Amino acid sequence: MPFFYTITSEMIEMGLQGSELLVYALINNYSQRSQGCYYGSLDNTAKMTGFSRDTARRTLASLVDKGFLTASKSVVDGQLRTTYAVIPEGDSNLQRGWQNATEGVANCNGRG
C-alpha cells in the first residue's frame, strides 16, 4: 500500500526545511489521524523519509529540541520506545522537549 505525507505552507512558514521538513511532515500525518502519535521505529522513519538511521535520529532530536515535536519514552516488551507527536502551534499546555513516559503525549491514546 502506497504511503504519502503532506507538506503544508505552514510547515514552510515555520522555517522547516530539508530533513526536518520531511520528518515533521511524516509525524504530522500520524498526529492528524485517530492514533494521534507516531509509533514508528527509527528504521521505519529512515525508510519512510529515505534518510539513514543516523540522519533520522539526529533530525528527530533536533525537532524535539526546537519544540516542534514532543517525545515520550516508555518500555514495551522489554524494549525502550519513543513516541513522537506534533506540538500544536500555540499550545502552552504541552511541555516542550522530552517528557516522562508517565505523563504521556496529548492525543496518544495511552499507547507507548
Side-chain angles (χ1 to χ4, degrees):
M1 172 166 134
F3 179 84
F4 69 93
Y5 44 93
T6 303
I7 296 173
T8 66
S9 61
E10 288 81 13
M11 292 175 196
I12 304 293
E13 291 167 5
M14 291 165 50
L16 294 170
Q17 56 185 317
S19 63
E20 288 184 349
L21 178 61
L22 292 180
V23 171
Y24 183 89
L26 171 68
I27 293 172
N28 185 63
N29 181 64
Y30 282 91
S31 294
Q32 301 303 312
R33 294 176 175 194
S34 60
Q35 62 194 35
C37 289
Y38 179 67
Y39 301 97
S41 67
L42 196 53
D43 286 333
N44 187 64
T45 303
K47 178 182 175 184
M48 298 298 288
T49 58
F51 301 131
S52 68
R53 283 188 85 219
D54 192 47
T55 298
R57 181 190 51 76
R58 283 194 319 265
T59 302
L60 287 164
S62 176
L63 288 167
V64 169
D65 287 343
K66 292 178 179 179
F68 291 111
L69 300 178
T70 188
S72 178
K73 293 182 181 183
S74 62
V75 177
V76 178
D77 297 328
Q79 293 186 341
L80 180 64
R81 293 204 181 163
T82 306
T83 303
Y84 296 93
V86 168
I87 296 176
E89 192 172 348
D91 190 342
S92 60
N93 294 323
L94 283 178
Q95 197 176 14
R96 297 196 184 249
W98 295 94
Q99 292 187 346
N100 183 313
T102 59
E103 293 176 38
V105 177
N107 301 320
C108 288
N109 300 327
R111 289 179 56 184

